[in-house]
């Protein structure tokens, strides 16, 4: 039942794209049209970092220059594309070169391809006055891709499912409360259920929508719509409201499977979907191919049962559906009575490779997802060839297909929020076609939701694709030192830190973020180093500003440091060498861990020194500069505001973000035992570590951040990487990082 819910909301996201072509049609057309699989435009310009302005000073050894910062690159105003980017290529079937029949050009013929149906539809609507490429107002998107939700009217009742959709949008970075800044508009009227027999059916939708001040014949409006139940009355309760808002259920990638191919579902004796399902018994062998059907559905099924019904029903009851899903390599997904199949998403979650036999289906988000990497798409007229096809797939290929099902499920379909956000991201890629993701970003870890094209459209600029592209990160790093206390003398900890870091042969430059309330010290107060020293002063001293994507940072690697960090040059060099092997992760020194407090039913935070950890604090850690951009533009403004208000937890939030993206733990490297956050006190200002509420705040942050994501992303690890010959009883002269040995 949950899979039905998942599938239909996915279908909502994909079906929205078809509605865009019909914006100019009368609302009666919308009311009569059943939900279909297509997609829509997406993605707002990211808001400027809240209330953060700075002037930058750049000091070089034996010279004094003023660094004039360039503003962050802005996307050029949206403009109408030359042609609306439309996916017109039919997904290639697994069987290529097979005999194809000539089908009559009927719009709803079950054997027409997506391309044929589009051509027919285009011909039908060619004289209509409005289509996407002619009626979408791209000028509205010049201020960025922002989404506005109309305020609810008095007496409006919204279903739980539609409320989840609206909540997903409101909590996203796309949301705006100002309709004048909106590129896309969402109705507050619940349009999901247009079955007049349903208790959730909303009356007078046409007049209510047309009375909206910015309706404008539906231009730039996104409508969510789905039909519940199955043919012929569509009254079955789908219970889709059980699909989680965020997070989502995990997949099931078990190592070995008992069955080759399975199916368990209804058998239709006549009508739509009956051809394939009535023939499944021909390839069912009861051993490794288990294809079960039942005639026992509907009120008067016994009036229409055939000679096989009793035998089919008996065998049908012998197998558990979930057990079959989780113990088979392939799951058959034949045509049913709907425009899609809920078992398609059930198969994805179960890591069971879908074998799709339904000519003309438009798979969810097929504009960006390459389903050939996760499914076998065949011709439903060639059912008898399915056993030989599945047996011909090698073990390595099966594993690759199953892994891709898990990636796609987790990235785009496991929650309402992911389905809705994927829809919006595709819409923005269409609106801003000059700044959009390519298929590599959509179909490779971590997925399109975490690879923001406003940062770069070149996959080589992200930390996730070095291995795929055969590239490596740059061979230098930028040290970014967060400073909140005054610079009192040349023996200040931050001065010692600048000197030690600058001695690294991998250091390209040092950037000091001056977030101190005291005035910026003159140049002669800063040490002279062999690498450029840049000082950035923020007019508003926000804690999260340490992760702002400053243009001055040009290297792939960033060494994030607290001003009171105590590191030797050897420690810096070794950590950077380790990071180059794990550029997508946080690599560093001070480690912390999380745990589940069952007595309080909440997550806990601990700084105890153990062999187990799940976080590496950013007070002394390497990570890719892309995470600065993702932190600033992906995390909701409400969380950034909370971090700034508490002046705490920004390091935990960065760990949550990176672990959510990578699904992996950070990397801890060799560190002296006595390392700890120093309880430094300079003048009258003590460090934040001296605050008695500091630890309690971090406990609270753990639970707020996990609630935002809908799950706990942190992963425990016991791995620590040490230099070769570390602590070995050999001459110190044989050891490369000798200083680490002495710490």
């Amino acid at each position: 039942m949950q899979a039905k819910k998942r599938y239909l909301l996915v279908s909502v996201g994909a079906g929205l794209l078809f509605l865009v072509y019909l914006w100019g049609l009368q609302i009666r057309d919308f009311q009569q049209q059943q939900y279909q699989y297509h997609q829509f435009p997406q993605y707002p310009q990211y808001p400027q970092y809240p209330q953060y302005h700075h002037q930058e000073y750049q000091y070089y050894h034996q010279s004094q220059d003023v660094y004039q910062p360039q503003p962050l690159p802005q996307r050029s105003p949206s403009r109408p594309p030359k042609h609306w980017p439309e996916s017109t290529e039919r997904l290639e079937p697994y069987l290529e070169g097979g005999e194809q029949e000539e089908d009559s050009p009927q719009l709803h013929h079950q054997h027409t391809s997506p391309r044929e149906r589009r051509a027919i539809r285009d011909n039908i609507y060619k004289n209509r006055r409005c289509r996407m490429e002619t009626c979408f107002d791209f000028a509205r998107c010049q201020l960025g891709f922002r989404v506005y939700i109309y305020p609810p009217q008095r007496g409006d009742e919204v279903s739980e499912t539609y409320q989840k959709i609206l909540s997903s949008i409101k909590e996203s970075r796309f949301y705006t409360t100002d309709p004048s800044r909106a590129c896309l508009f969402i109705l507050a009227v619940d349009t999901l259920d247009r079955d007049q027999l349903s208790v959730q059916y909303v009356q007078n939708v046409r007049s209510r929508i047309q009375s909206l001040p910015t309706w404008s014949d539906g231009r730039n409006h996104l409508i969510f719509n789905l039909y519940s139940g199955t043919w012929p009355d569509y009254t079955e309760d789908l219970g889709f409201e059980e699909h989680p808002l965020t997070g989502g259920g995990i997949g099931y990638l078990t190592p070995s499977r008992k069955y080759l191919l399975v199916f368990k579902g209804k058998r239709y004796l006549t009508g739509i979907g009956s051809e394939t399902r009535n023939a499944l018994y021909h390839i069912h062998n009861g051993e490794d191919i288990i294809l079960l059907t039942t005639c026992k559905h509907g009120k008067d099924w016994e009036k229409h049962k055939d000679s096989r019904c009793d035998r089919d029903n008996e065998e049908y009851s012998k197998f558990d559906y979930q057990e079959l899903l989780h113990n088979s390599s392939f799951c058959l997904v034949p045509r049913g009575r709907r425009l899609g199949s809920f078992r398609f998403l059930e198969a994805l979650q179960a890591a069971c490779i879908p074998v799709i036999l339904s000519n003309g289906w438009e798979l969810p988000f097929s504009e960006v997802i390459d389903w050939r990497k996760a499914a076998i798409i065949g011709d439903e007229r060639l059912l008898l060839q399915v056993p030989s096809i599945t047996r011909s797939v090698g073990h390595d290929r099966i594993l690759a297909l199953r892994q891709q099902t898990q990636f796609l499920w987790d990235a785009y379909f496991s929650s309402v929020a992911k389905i809705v956000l994927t829809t919006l991201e595709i819409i923005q890629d269409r609106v801003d076609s000059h700044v959009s993701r390519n298929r590599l970003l959509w179909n490779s870890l971590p997925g399109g939701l975490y690879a923001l094209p406003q940062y770069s459209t070149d996959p080589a600029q992200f930390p996730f694709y070095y291995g795929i592209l055969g590239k490596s990160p740059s061979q230098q790093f930028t040290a970014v030192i967060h400073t909140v206390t005054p610079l009192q003398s040349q023996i200040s900890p931050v001065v010692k830190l600048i000197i030690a870091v600058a001695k690294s042969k991998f250091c390209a430059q040092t950037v000091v973020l001056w977030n101190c309330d005291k005035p910026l010290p003159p140049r002669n107060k800063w040490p002279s180093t062999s690498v450029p020293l840049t000082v950035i002063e923020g007019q508003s001293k926000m804690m999260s500003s340490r992760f702002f994507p400053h243009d001055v940072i040009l290297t792939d690697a960033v060494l994030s440091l607290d001003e009171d960090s105590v590191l030797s040059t050897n420690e810096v060099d070794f950590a950077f060498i380790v990071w180059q092997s794990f550029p997508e992760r946080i690599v560093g020194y001070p480690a912390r861990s999380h745990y589940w407090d069952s007595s309080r039913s909440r997550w806990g935070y601990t700084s105890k020194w153990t062999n187990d950890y799940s976080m590496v604090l950013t007070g002394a850690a390497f990570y890719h500069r892309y995470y600065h951009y993702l932190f600033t533009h992906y995390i909701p403004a409400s969380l950034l505001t909370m971090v700034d208000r508490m002046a705490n937890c920004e390091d935990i939030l960065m760990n949550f973000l990176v672990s959510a993206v990578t699904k992996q733990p950070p990397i801890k490297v060799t560190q002296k035992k006595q390392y700890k956050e120093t309880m430094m006190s300079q003048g009258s200002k003590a460090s934040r570590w001296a605050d008695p509420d500091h630890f309690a705040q971090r406990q609270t942050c753990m639970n707020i951040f996990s609630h935002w994501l809908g799950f706990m992303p942190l992963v425990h690890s016991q791995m620590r990487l040490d230099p070769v010959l570390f602590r070995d009883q050999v001459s110190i002269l044989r050891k490369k990082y000798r200083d680490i040995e002495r710490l």
Side-chain angles (χ1 to χ4, degrees):
M1 186 64 71
Q2 288 187 356
K4 292 184 181 180
K5 313 164 194 169
R6 301 177 190 125
Y7 185 82
L8 287 187
L9 190 53
V10 171
S11 302
V12 169
L16 299 173
L17 303 177
F18 177 53
L19 294 176
V20 136
Y21 287 97
L22 310 178
W23 279 145
L25 303 181
Q26 297 296 326
I27 197 64
R28 60 179 172 79
D29 294 333
F30 150 69
Q31 289 178 311
Q32 294 172 356
Q33 180 178 347
Q34 297 185 8
Y35 155 94
Q36 294 207 2
Y37 260 135
H38 289 285
Q39 295 152 341
F40 243 51
Q42 37 162 36
Y43 222 5
Q45 177 177 353
Y46 297 114
Q48 294 296 313
Y49 195 78
Q51 301 178 352
Y52 187 75
H53 306 282
H54 66 266
Q55 53 182 347
E56 301 187 359
Y57 304 88
Q58 188 166 26
Y59 300 125
Y60 293 87
H61 182 47
Q62 295 181 344
S63 67
Q64 179 175 354
D65 298 316
V66 178
Y67 172 77
Q68 298 296 334
Q70 298 296 321
L72 288 177
Q74 301 295 318
R75 296 186 290 113
S76 57
S78 302
R79 60 183 184 277
K82 294 180 180 179
H83 298 285
W84 183 255
E86 178 177 330
S87 176
T88 59
E89 296 183 2
R90 178 180 179 178
L91 292 175
E92 296 179 9
Y94 190 83
L95 290 171
E96 296 186 5
E99 181 179 353
Q100 301 293 322
E101 297 178 5
E102 292 294 326
D103 296 316
S104 58
Q106 298 177 0
L107 182 60
H108 297 292
H109 195 287
Q110 64 176 338
H111 294 323
T112 56
S113 70
R115 177 181 296 178
E116 292 169 333
R117 288 189 287 110
R118 288 193 189 94
I120 297 169
R121 186 185 63 232
D122 291 346
N123 182 64
I124 292 174
Y125 296 115
K126 67 180 179 180
N127 295 323
R128 297 285 186 170
R129 58 195 176 99
C130 191
R131 293 187 60 195
M132 179 70 186
E133 60 266 35
T134 58
C135 289
F136 191 89
D137 187 359
F138 290 88
R140 281 191 172 274
C141 307
Q142 291 182 0
L143 296 177
F145 187 84
R146 302 181 188 276
V147 182
Y148 173 78
I149 299 176
Y150 288 100
Q153 300 178 14
R154 179 178 299 180
D156 276 355
E157 293 186 4
V158 177
S159 65
E160 185 175 351
T161 302
Y162 197 64
Q163 185 58 56
K164 288 182 179 180
I165 293 174
L166 299 181
S167 297
S168 299
I169 298 173
K170 289 181 179 179
E171 295 174 5
S172 74
R173 59 192 178 281
F174 307 129
Y175 179 63
T176 180
T177 57
D178 184 357
S180 66
R181 299 178 62 85
C183 171
L184 202 64
F185 296 83
I186 308 295
L187 302 177
V189 180
D190 189 343
T191 57
L192 284 184
D193 193 342
R194 302 312 301 149
D195 179 3
Q196 297 186 18
L197 300 179
S198 172
V199 295
Q200 295 179 338
Y201 178 79
V202 179
Q203 302 287 341
N204 305 318
V205 165
R206 176 179 179 179
S207 59
R208 294 179 62 180
I209 292 179
Q210 290 184 332
S211 65
L212 295 173
T214 54
W215 173 244
S216 187
D217 290 332
R219 288 178 176 85
N220 296 50
H221 281 68
L222 176 61
I223 296 176
F224 293 86
N225 174 231
L226 60 85
Y227 263 93
S228 63
T230 57
W231 182 91
D233 53 14
Y234 294 91
T235 58
E236 178 184 352
D237 179 17
L238 293 174
F240 191 78
E241 56 276 1
E242 295 179 17
H243 200 50
L245 173 62
T246 58
I250 62 173
Y252 304 91
L253 189 59
T254 53
S256 60
R257 297 289 171 110
K258 178 179 179 180
Y259 305 110
L260 174 69
L261 176 69
V262 299
F263 172 82
K264 185 178 182 181
K266 299 175 182 177
R267 177 160 71 89
Y268 306 112
L269 302 180
T270 59
I272 300 174
S274 61
E275 290 184 26
T276 300
R277 298 192 181 209
N278 275 330
L280 292 181
Y281 75 96
H282 288 297
I283 58 176
H284 165 79
N285 62 19
E287 297 177 357
D288 63 343
I289 298 180
I290 307 296
L291 305 177
L292 308 171
T293 60
T294 180
C295 308
K296 197 173 181 179
H297 55 88
K299 297 179 180 179
D300 52 355
W301 68 273
E302 291 184 299
K303 296 180 181 179
H304 305 287
K305 72 176 186 179
D306 58 18
S307 59
R308 290 204 336 267
C309 279
D310 290 337
R311 183 173 66 254
D312 287 352
N313 292 341
E314 181 181 357
E315 192 164 11
Y316 185 89
S317 61
K318 294 180 180 179
F319 291 84
D320 178 75
Y321 178 57
Q322 293 297 323
E323 192 271 339
L324 290 175
L325 275 180
H326 298 153
N327 287 279
S328 180
S329 297
F330 298 92
C331 286
L332 193 66
V333 184
R335 179 184 301 281
R337 291 288 170 90
R338 301 188 56 80
L339 299 177
S341 172
F342 66 86
R343 71 183 66 250
F344 175 70
L345 286 190
E346 285 184 322
L348 282 185
Q349 184 180 14
C352 188
I353 303 164
V355 179
I356 301 170
L357 297 181
S358 184
N359 297 4
W361 269 4
E362 194 78 34
L363 296 180
F365 306 137
S366 59
E367 179 178 334
V368 297
I369 294 178
D370 185 355
W371 285 110
R372 294 170 298 181
K373 294 182 177 180
I376 292 179
I377 305 172
D379 192 312
E380 61 187 309
R381 295 164 292 186
L382 302 177
L383 170 66
L384 299 183
Q385 296 186 20
V386 169
S388 61
I389 291 172
T390 53
R391 294 188 193 282
S392 69
V393 184
H395 292 296
D396 291 345
R397 178 62 177 158
I398 288 176
L399 179 60
L401 289 166
R402 292 181 62 206
Q403 287 175 333
Q404 192 70 359
T405 65
Q406 295 300 273
F407 158 64
L408 294 175
W409 163 258
D410 180 71
Y412 306 121
F413 302 108
S414 59
S415 70
V416 173
K418 288 179 180 178
I419 295 169
V420 172
L421 292 178
T422 301
T423 302
L424 295 178
E425 297 283 4
I426 295 174
I427 293 174
Q428 192 191 21
D429 274 6
R430 286 183 164 193
V431 172
D432 292 333
S433 57
H434 58 294
V435 183
S436 60
R437 305 163 183 80
N438 60 30
R439 282 221 161 190
L440 175 61
L441 272 59
W442 280 109
N443 292 278
S444 302
L445 288 168
L449 300 187
Y450 288 124
L452 307 185
Q454 287 70 25
Y455 171 78
S456 177
T457 57
D458 179 7
Q461 299 299 315
F462 295 87
F464 321 114
Y465 311 111
Y466 290 128
I468 296 176
L469 301 174
K471 297 182 179 296
S472 300
S474 57
Q475 301 301 303
Q476 291 183 302
F477 67 83
T478 298
V480 179
I481 304 175
H482 186 239
T483 306
V484 296
T485 57
L487 184 65
Q488 294 184 337
S489 68
Q490 289 293 319
I491 62 172
S492 296
V494 68
V495 173
K496 295 180 180 180
L497 183 61
I498 291 173
I499 294 173
V501 171
K503 289 181 180 179
S504 170
K505 61 183 178 180
F506 303 112
C507 183
Q509 63 174 331
T510 302
V511 176
V512 175
L513 302 179
W514 188 258
N515 270 1
C516 179
D517 294 332
K518 301 296 183 180
L520 181 68
R523 182 201 176 283
N524 59 11
K525 293 293 185 179
W526 297 97
S528 296
T529 61
S530 59
V531 298
L533 173 64
T534 303
V535 180
I536 302 176
E537 181 180 23
Q539 293 183 4
S540 54
K541 316 297 182 181
M542 299 184 296
M543 185 59 67
S544 59
S545 66
R546 69 182 302 169
F547 300 133
F548 187 79
H550 295 285
D551 290 344
V552 70
I553 302 175
L554 301 177
T555 59
D556 292 332
V558 173
L559 172 57
S560 177
L561 296 165
D562 285 342
E563 61 184 339
D564 54 352
S565 298
V566 182
L567 292 177
S568 69
T569 305
N570 266 190
E571 287 178 295
V572 171
D573 286 349
F574 177 66
F576 178 67
I577 292 297
V578 172
W579 176 85
Q580 288 184 304
S581 297
F582 304 95
E584 75 284 1
R585 302 205 220 177
I586 297 177
V587 175
Y589 290 97
R592 298 292 183 267
S593 188
H594 75 287
Y595 64 95
W596 178 252
D597 186 345
S598 57
S599 63
R600 299 183 178 182
S601 297
R602 57 178 292 175
W603 294 105
Y605 170 89
T606 178
S607 58
K608 291 182 179 180
W609 191 288
T610 66
N611 291 330
D612 187 274
Y613 66 93
S614 58
M615 291 173 280
V616 167
L617 303 186
T618 55
F622 281 96
Y623 50 77
H624 197 280
R625 66 172 176 168
Y626 173 62
Y627 290 125
H628 277 179
Y629 192 90
L630 196 63
F631 185 94
T632 303
H633 297 300
Y634 182 83
I635 294 176
S638 59
L639 291 185
L640 298 180
T641 301
M642 183 195 77
V643 166
D644 293 333
R645 185 181 65 254
M646 294 192 305
N648 197 354
C649 298
E650 83 289 346
D651 49 354
I652 297 178
L653 184 54
M654 177 61 87
N655 272 270
F656 267 70
L657 177 63
V658 176
S659 292
V661 172
T662 64
K663 306 296 187 295
Q664 294 178 314
I667 303 291
K668 177 177 170 56
V669 292
T670 306
Q671 172 191 352
K672 48 185 175 290
K673 179 78 172 181
Q674 64 269 27
Y675 183 96
K676 60 182 179 180
E677 295 84 6
T678 57
M679 305 296 287
M680 59 180 288
S681 179
Q682 299 184 4
S684 61
K685 185 174 181 179
S687 78
R688 54 179 175 154
W689 302 101
D691 185 352
D693 295 329
H694 183 78
F695 189 82
Q697 288 176 341
R698 295 171 80 79
Q699 298 272 11
T700 301
C701 289
M702 297 284 293
N703 292 276
I704 293 176
F705 298 160
S706 61
H707 176 74
W708 161 55
L709 291 169
F711 67 101
M712 170 53 73
L714 299 179
V715 180
H716 285 282
S717 175
Q718 294 184 345
M719 182 178 74
R720 189 186 77 186
L721 297 183
D722 299 335
V724 175
L725 300 180
F726 179 71
R727 298 296 186 188
D728 284 1
Q729 299 301 315
V730 297
S731 171
I732 195 70
L733 299 177
R734 297 179 57 187
K735 300 183 180 183
K736 183 175 181 179
Y737 302 99
R738 301 170 188 173
D739 288 349
I740 297 180
E741 191 79 15
R742 300 189 183 101
L743 297 175

